[in-house]
Amino acid sequence: MNLQEVAILAKVSTATVSRVLNNVGPVKNSTRTRVLKAVAELKYHPNLHARNLAGGKSRTIGIIVSNMENPFFVDIYKAAEQAAHSKGFDVVLANTDYNPEHLMHNIRLMIGRRVAGLALAVSEMDPGLIDELCDKNIRTVTYDAGLLRRNSSNIIVNYGKGIERIVSYLHELGHRRMAFISHHRSLRPLSFRERGFREAVERYSPVIEWRIVADVDGIDGGRNAVRAILASGFHPTAIICVNDVMAIGALHELREAGLRVPQDVSVTGFDNIKLAEIVNPSLTTLHIPRDRLGQLMMQHLMADDSGDEQFQPETVIDPEFVVRESTGGLNRK
Amino acid sequence: MNLQEVAILAKVSTATVSRVLNNVGPVKNSTRTRVLKAVAELKYHPNLHARNLAGGKSRTIGIIVSNMENPFFVDIYKAAEQAAHSKGFDVVLANTDYNPEHLMHNIRLMIGRRVAGLALAVSEMDPGLIDELCDKNIRTVTYDAGLLRRNSSNIIVNYGKGIERIVSYLHELGHRRMAFISHHRSLRPLSFRERGFREAVERYSPVIEWRIVADVDGIDGGRNAVRAILASGFHPTAIICVNDVMAIGALHELREAGLRVPQDVSVTGFDNIKLAEIVNPSLTTLHIPRDRLGQLMMQHLMADDSGDEQFQPETVIDPEFVVRESTGGLNRK
DNA sequence: TTGAAAGCGCTACCAG
DNA sequence: CTGGTAGCGCTTTCAA
């Protein structure tokens, strides 16, 4: 079923049907209603592929994230989608599970779809791979990717500063043995955070002993990491997690092991997802404004080319320290 | 940049390039490599719209869910996507936030994209609206929607049975005042669950006092609902939540109010998401196998037309009762 | 093994 | 205000 059939039923040309459907150009009211009736009668739905092909331009934004199981990314996606909708764009979402091949596959799909813009909130950015793809003339905005190309902007969070804040806070509380829990250490953005931790902690060298352990992203990852730490014989008094979800897993595993938080061990997260204030004990963490992040990404993608809006190629967001119940001074002073 | 340019650079016809790109038909090896080189050189990405238009068929499955913030739906999506990928299909995801208009919009988009199949895991199904749309010849599978149409199958969870199980269990423990926490009462599938509760509880009439309260889906919804209950003066000894996420919110609000779970109040969830075993106290709930659900949906959509596989128009899944720490007998016997 | 050409369904331009 | 028509980029016969 196509435009033609509608046109025949309405006794007009396809051009007119098109005009009616797109609210463009002048159409006599009587014919418009006639067309609309035919459309309804046939339950006609325009073929969007044909429309995109013929029109040339697309009103669709692609969004790719690393892990939809982590509320952090869901929040970004929701903010971004809302911003896109408010400007009349549709959104198509893809998830990579931190897998660079999935990322490539999805980027290819997005390019193939000729999206009007592409937002990448992923950690598995490989400069090499992306470089190749991104000199299509697709506008791109990345989060936490640290690469800048033509018509591509980047939004980054100052993780180093955040982690430094955490470490110094814990140090003041008297903590001298710390562990850092992460995931996907080999991915660049994650390795930067790890380095942030290392630098912060080495500033106090050799007073602070430390250790880094990694597992998968998620609750189970946090649990496994804590289990590994405890089994290793290294007994940190503070555990710093690369994100809240892993921290929540850590919290649970510590409880299982009979350790009290924060009396025996302090725990910190990163992101400040909703759950962080709900868990027991509630989580000390760093707030990253996902709303703003999502909005910013869309703003960059949909900014007028008119050059009116100041196009910022890079935006830095400072996380905000939120102290809750999961951190405290040492029991044995 | 299009097929033509590649063809020219490779000194062949567009037909040949197409053959190479699709691995179809015979192509001399030397020309194949020549074409591939041209493709790489130009960083050519085929226009998927054109491809779909010309090919007629699509290898894309549409998935629409109600709330990506609820891990229940994320789990379904992930299982479904994996199943789809394993059969060589791509997936495009959409989220409705329980908004029937968003649902309509997204269904229209999916139809416009001429997806090979459409999976609807949404609660806001309105028989009227959908009826109209679903007699396109798009294969559809719904979860929890209770409507059956031509080339459309349905997967349902036996909520009534599950809730009955919960109520009788709580009754045995001595509970006589129960509250049911839900969301979007006016949406059919949700109202069915509410009815399930009502029927189960009235079976013990007039022994059990009960009450139903609703708020939005999510942690805050659970919190608000509990606050409303406590403020109402009705003091239930057991709170039954329509899903785990709301139950987790309820748990938190009860703690804030100084009530102990399960000593003062028992709480149950539904779904058995990962978090249910992590929260403290861990959550008594009903397990719904999201993996199987997602796989089933894809199986229904991608079943061979060959009639070989037995096409089941309806599949019922029984949830499985999981007792954890959030329920117990009454303190004062 | 390859090329030419006819569409796929729609938009947009040009006439009338 | 409306119709005719030339593409959009690709797949797919049909011939060569």
Side-chain angles (χ1 to χ4, degrees):
Chain A
M1 169 174 355
N2 54 19
L3 255 204
Q4 180 109 258
E5 294 185 40
V6 178
I8 293 175
L9 181 57
K11 295 191 208 309
V12 293
S13 71
T14 60
T16 301
V17 179
S18 177
R19 286 191 199 98
V20 172
L21 259 33
N22 296 289
N23 276 316
V24 63
V27 182
K28 209 207 295 180
N29 241 311
S30 63
T31 44
R32 150 171 282 108
T33 48
R34 198 145 36 88
V35 169
L36 256 20
K37 212 184 99 212
V39 167
E41 195 159 320
L42 262 39
K43 285 171 186 151
Y44 167 71
H45 293 261
N47 183 319
L48 297 182
H49 299 300
R51 183 173 278 187
N52 274 315
L53 229 208
K57 73 274 159 139
S58 142
R59 295 287 284 179
T60 300
I61 298 279
I63 301 182
I64 307 183
V65 303
S66 279
N67 181 12
M68 286 300 281
E69 286 178 350
N70 191 325
F72 175 74
F73 290 105
V74 178
D75 291 346
I76 290 180
Y77 149 68
K78 291 203 63 165
E81 179 171 56
Q82 185 159 16
H85 281 168
S86 77
K87 299 212 180 184
F89 283 75
D90 272 308
V91 151
V92 37
L93 175 67
N95 177 259
T96 64
D97 282 319
Y98 295 107
N99 183 329
E101 286 172 31
H102 290 184
L103 176 60
M104 282 302 282
H105 178 76
N106 282 306
I107 289 182
R108 291 223 171 82
L109 279 181
M110 295 298 185
I111 294 179
R113 286 171 184 141
R114 299 297 188 266
V115 291
L118 185 52
L120 264 20
V122 298
S123 302
E124 63 275 20
M125 276 309 204
D126 182 290
L129 299 178
I130 310 304
D131 214 13
E132 245 191 65
L133 293 169
C134 282
D135 44 25
K136 322 293 302 183
N137 12 12
I138 292 185
R139 261 203 221 186
T140 304
V141 57
T142 52
Y143 157 70
D144 196 27
L147 76 155
L148 289 174
R149 301 283 177 276
R150 184 161 38 89
N151 62 40
S152 145
S153 36
N154 188 23
I155 299 176
I156 64 183
V157 165
N158 200 332
Y159 276 91
K161 203 163 160 183
I163 291 190
E164 193 183 307
R165 184 86 178 76
I166 291 180
V167 169
S168 82
Y169 170 75
L170 290 170
H171 177 264
E172 273 176 39
L173 288 179
H175 293 273
R176 294 298 178 266
R177 281 199 308 285
M178 304 184 187
F180 184 71
I181 289 181
S182 179
H183 64 94
H184 293 95
R185 295 178 67 168
S186 62
L187 299 179
R188 289 223 315 171
L190 276 315
S191 74
F192 285 161
R193 300 184 202 176
E194 180 175 318
R195 198 176 65 192
F197 169 72
R198 191 178 286 122
E199 289 176 359
V201 91
E202 280 176 345
R203 198 157 299 148
Y204 298 97
S205 173
V207 177
I208 295 185
E209 285 181 87
W210 54 272
R211 183 165 193 133
I212 295 176
V213 38
D215 205 279
V216 298
D217 187 21
I219 288 176
D220 283 334
R223 299 183 60 177
N224 293 338
V226 164
R227 213 173 297 138
I229 290 172
L230 297 181
S232 76
F234 178 69
H235 289 291
T237 63
I239 297 181
I240 297 163
C241 303
V242 78
N243 67 39
D244 288 348
V245 174
M246 294 194 78
I248 288 169
L251 243 32
H252 183 259
E253 196 62 24
L254 288 169
R255 189 179 342 117
E256 295 260 293
L259 291 167
R260 294 162 306 164
V261 175
Q263 294 88 340
D264 300 322
V265 185
S266 283
V267 173
T268 66
F270 217 114
D271 292 349
N272 194 27
I273 60 176
K274 185 80 199 166
L275 232 31
E277 50 178 299
I278 295 304
V279 288
N280 185 16
S282 60
L283 199 58
T284 293
T285 189
L286 282 149
H287 178 75
I288 300 180
R290 283 89 64 197
D291 285 5
R292 198 150 74 82
L293 229 156
Q295 288 162 210
L296 270 174
M297 294 186 95
M298 291 307 106
Q299 199 173 305
H300 281 222
L301 287 184
M302 306 186 296
D304 277 342
D305 281 312
S306 50
D308 195 43
E309 323 198 17
Q310 63 290 21
F311 180 78
Q312 286 191 300
E314 179 154 305
T315 308
V316 179
I317 293 183
D318 278 320
E320 188 186 326
F321 196 37
V322 182
V323 178
R324 294 209 184 87
E325 304 165 352
S326 67
T327 47
L330 287 176
N331 213 8
R332 41 198 147 123
K333 39 174 132 22
Chain B
M1 168 172 358
N2 54 19
L3 253 203
Q4 180 110 257
E5 293 186 40
V6 178
I8 292 174
L9 180 58
K11 296 190 206 310
V12 294
S13 73
T14 60
T16 301
V17 179
S18 177
R19 287 191 197 98
V20 172
L21 259 32
N22 296 290
N23 277 314
V24 64
V27 182
K28 210 205 297 180
N29 240 310
S30 63
T31 44
R32 151 170 281 110
T33 48
R34 197 146 36 89
V35 169
L36 256 20
K37 211 184 98 210
V39 167
E41 195 159 321
L42 262 39
K43 284 172 187 151
Y44 167 71
H45 292 260
N47 182 319
L48 298 182
H49 298 300
R51 186 174 275 187
N52 275 316
L53 228 208
K57 74 268 158 144
S58 142
R59 295 287 284 179
T60 300
I61 298 280
I63 300 183
I64 306 182
V65 302
S66 280
N67 181 11
M68 286 298 283
E69 286 178 351
N70 191 324
F72 176 74
F73 290 105
V74 178
D75 291 346
I76 290 180
Y77 150 68
K78 292 203 63 166
E81 179 172 55
Q82 185 160 16
H85 281 166
S86 77
K87 298 212 181 186
F89 284 76
D90 272 307
V91 152
V92 37
L93 176 67
N95 176 258
T96 64
D97 282 319
Y98 296 107
N99 183 330
E101 285 172 32
H102 291 183
L103 176 60
M104 282 304 282
H105 178 74
N106 282 307
I107 290 182
R108 291 222 172 82
L109 279 180
M110 295 297 185
I111 294 179
R113 287 171 184 142
R114 299 294 189 266
V115 291
L118 186 52
L120 266 20
V122 297
S123 301
E124 63 274 22
M125 276 308 203
D126 183 290
L129 299 177
I130 310 303
D131 213 12
E132 246 190 64
L133 293 169
C134 283
D135 45 24
K136 323 292 302 183
N137 11 12
I138 293 184
R139 264 202 222 186
T140 304
V141 57
T142 52
Y143 157 71
D144 196 26
L147 76 156
L148 290 175
R149 300 283 177 276
R150 185 162 39 88
N151 62 41
S152 146
S153 37
N154 188 22
I155 298 176
I156 64 182
V157 166
N158 200 331
Y159 275 91
K161 203 163 160 182
I163 292 190
E164 193 184 307
R165 184 86 178 76
I166 290 180
V167 169
S168 82
Y169 169 75
L170 291 171
H171 177 262
E172 273 175 39
L173 287 179
H175 293 273
R176 295 298 178 266
R177 281 199 308 284
M178 303 184 187
F180 183 71
I181 290 182
S182 180
H183 65 94
H184 292 95
R185 295 177 66 167
S186 61
L187 298 180
R188 288 222 318 170
L190 276 316
S191 73
F192 285 161
R193 301 184 201 176
E194 180 174 320
R195 199 177 63 192
F197 169 73
R198 191 177 285 121
E199 288 177 359
V201 92
E202 281 176 344
R203 199 157 299 149
Y204 298 98
S205 173
V207 176
I208 295 184
E209 286 181 87
W210 54 272
R211 183 165 192 134
I212 295 176
V213 38
D215 204 278
V216 298
D217 187 21
I219 287 177
D220 283 334
R223 298 183 60 176
N224 293 338
V226 164
R227 213 173 297 139
I229 290 172
L230 296 181
S232 76
F234 177 68
H235 290 292
T237 63
I239 297 181
I240 297 162
C241 304
V242 78
N243 67 39
D244 288 347
V245 174
M246 295 194 78
I248 288 170
L251 241 34
H252 183 259
E253 196 62 24
L254 288 169
R255 189 180 341 117
E256 296 261 293
L259 291 167
R260 294 162 307 162
V261 176
Q263 293 88 340
D264 300 323
V265 185
S266 284
V267 173
T268 66
F270 218 114
D271 293 348
N272 194 28
I273 60 176
K274 185 80 200 168
L275 233 31
E277 50 177 301
I278 295 304
V279 289
N280 184 16
S282 60
L283 199 58
T284 293
T285 189
L286 281 149
H287 178 75
I288 300 181
R290 283 90 63 196
D291 285 6
R292 197 149 76 81
L293 229 155
Q295 289 163 208
L296 270 173
M297 295 185 95
M298 290 308 105
Q299 199 172 305
H300 281 222
L301 287 184
M302 306 186 294
D304 277 343
D305 281 313
S306 50
D308 195 42
E309 323 197 17
Q310 63 288 23
F311 180 78
Q312 285 189 299
E314 179 155 306
T315 308
V316 179
I317 292 183
D318 279 320
E320 187 186 327
F321 196 37
V322 182
V323 178
R324 293 208 185 88
E325 304 165 352
S326 68
T327 48
L330 288 175
N331 213 8
R332 40 192 150 128
K333 40 175 121 49

